[in-house]
Amino acid sequence: MEVTSPIRDLIERLKQGDVSALARSITLLEEGSLDIPSVDTLLGAANPSLTIGVTGPPGAGKSSLIDWLIKHMRDEGAMVGVLATDPSSPFTGGAILGDRIRMQHHFLDEKVFIRSLGSRGAQGGISRITRDAAHLMRAAGYRYIILETVGVGQTELDIMNLADTVLVVLVPESGDFMQAMKAGLMEIADIFVVNKADRDGAKQMVNALKFLTESPESGTGAWQVPILLTNGLDGSGTKDAFETVRRHTVFLEHHRQTGQFLRKRQHGLKQLIVEQLSVKIEDLINEVLADRYRAELMDPSVSLYSIFNRVMQDKGFTGKLFG
């Protein structure tokens, strides 16, 4: 995609910390009018930042917990960005919940940028543009970037490849959900948070999670997944949750030379390649379904494989892929 002068100017303003430029850039991402690989050199080297994923079943109090995490981050003077994926409107494709309402304590703080993104049918619990939007936030100088998922399910595990630290938020009533998601939860969780800890069954949930997190690697230098109790109403336990996130960051820095860091980067690159190729493929499909191949499509004697091979040849792919 050609980088126009207005886009260059927009990126330059974004790098200077212009919030309106960041908001406009994310809107262009949603519209498909901004291609991050094309402007990556303009964005420059990534600023130091920490990406935190917050996931869990609907109703677990993820947004309330994030509200308190933002407070603790702002107490140290850091700029905070939040990308909250919400279910999409079937009419506009936009987010229909609007997390800015649920995080209203920071609505007027110019050092906090909160953006709701429509999931638009994405199966990974996060919007398709979340990675790109987070990249823009880093370029704009945000120290902490929080990614909230629309929920969590067997297919909604993409957050683990985007975030440095993943908090899985549960409530005392999450027992059935936890059993259904046992394997996925253990794969993505760096920290377990049992929210709404004033409810009956909170300690039993902690004990159940302790049983699940027992690992034969204990004592070998592997990260031992903490289990924390919080209450989004009064903020109790949330400062400890923030400090645990920082502790996990230190752990990651000390273990950067291990296979865990490399595996996360490899998974992230793999996901990025798939995402970018999917966009290109969708563009190609839209072009194919237009009038260019209408005659062949209307002729029942021409096989779809033959049309496919012609499409590949027209696009510069040499050799037939079929036959």
Side-chain angles (χ1 to χ4, degrees):
M1 182 180 291
E2 181 182 356
V3 182
T4 62
S5 293
I7 292 294
R8 291 178 181 274
D9 294 341
L10 186 68
I11 294 300
E12 190 57 37
R13 287 169 46 211
L14 179 150
K15 291 167 62 177
Q16 298 301 318
D18 187 326
V19 175
S20 64
L22 174 60
R24 177 58 181 161
S25 297
I26 295 177
T27 297
L28 292 177
L29 282 178
E30 291 182 304
E31 295 173 349
S33 302
L34 181 62
D35 179 54
I36 292 297
S38 299
V39 300
D40 188 58
T41 55
L42 297 178
L43 291 170
N47 293 312
S49 65
L50 176 63
T51 305
I52 303 162
V54 180
T55 188
K62 298 186 292 292
S63 295
S64 298
L65 174 63
I66 291 172
D67 200 35
W68 284 101
L69 291 177
I70 294 172
K71 176 188 181 303
H72 302 314
M73 293 167 182
R74 289 293 295 128
D75 285 345
E76 64 175 38
M79 291 174 62
V80 184
V82 180
L83 294 171
T85 303
D86 283 333
S88 295
S89 164
F91 303 104
T92 66
I96 60 176
L97 293 184
D99 285 75
R100 277 168 284 192
I101 297 173
R102 301 202 296 268
M103 302 174 196
Q104 56 187 327
H105 291 128
H106 310 283
F107 184 70
L108 298 178
D109 189 340
E110 62 181 14
K111 299 297 184 181
V112 177
F113 181 89
I114 301 173
R115 180 70 174 251
S116 294
L117 304 173
S119 60
R120 297 175 184 266
Q123 295 300 306
I126 52 179
S127 170
R128 289 193 179 104
I129 69 162
T130 298
R131 182 192 304 277
D132 292 347
H135 194 55
L136 292 176
M137 283 185 166
R138 292 186 194 96
Y142 287 83
R143 174 69 181 92
Y144 294 103
I145 301 171
I146 302 174
L147 311 178
E148 180 187 358
T149 73
V150 69
V152 68
Q154 292 291 354
T155 62
E156 297 178 345
L157 305 179
D158 287 353
I159 190 69
M160 65 181 292
N161 294 323
L162 293 182
D164 301 304
T165 300
V166 177
L167 283 72
V168 174
V169 184
L170 302 171
V171 288
E173 300 85 2
S174 298
D176 292 341
F177 166 84
M178 188 178 67
Q179 289 301 317
M181 278 296 298
K182 186 183 300 183
L185 286 174
M186 300 314 302
E187 186 177 0
I188 67 175
D190 295 307
I191 302 168
F192 276 115
V193 176
V194 178
N195 197 25
K196 304 182 182 180
D198 56 322
R199 292 184 179 179
D200 292 339
K203 292 185 177 179
Q204 289 90 328
M205 174 60 69
V206 169
N207 291 333
L209 288 170
K210 284 181 178 179
F211 178 77
L212 288 179
T213 55
E214 288 181 354
S215 170
E217 297 181 356
S218 299
T220 63
W223 173 256
Q224 302 304 307
V225 179
I227 304 164
L228 310 175
L229 288 166
T230 62
N231 190 330
L233 292 179
D234 60 14
S236 59
T238 59
K239 183 64 179 295
D240 186 33
F242 175 53
E243 293 299 333
T244 304
V245 169
R246 292 166 61 97
R247 186 159 55 87
H248 185 249
T249 303
V250 172
F251 173 86
L252 292 176
E253 287 295 326
H254 287 169
H255 292 77
R256 178 154 290 189
Q257 300 305 317
T258 66
Q260 181 179 358
F261 176 78
L262 178 60
R263 284 194 298 272
K264 183 178 281 285
R265 293 280 286 179
Q266 287 174 330
H267 283 303
L269 178 59
K270 175 183 176 182
Q271 188 175 357
L272 178 59
I273 291 172
V274 170
E275 289 171 357
Q276 292 299 318
L277 287 179
S278 296
V279 171
K280 302 300 183 185
I281 291 171
E282 187 171 346
D283 290 343
L284 176 61
I285 291 172
N286 289 336
E287 180 180 330
V288 168
L289 295 181
D291 290 341
R292 184 172 181 179
Y293 301 95
R294 183 178 179 85
E296 290 93 331
L297 288 170
M298 292 296 293
D299 186 348
S301 68
V302 180
S303 74
L304 293 179
Y305 293 100
S306 296
I307 301 174
F308 174 82
N309 282 322
R310 183 191 162 186
V311 170
M312 294 296 101
Q313 291 167 7
D314 289 347
K315 289 299 177 180
F317 292 96
T318 59
K320 291 184 177 181
L321 298 183
F322 297 96

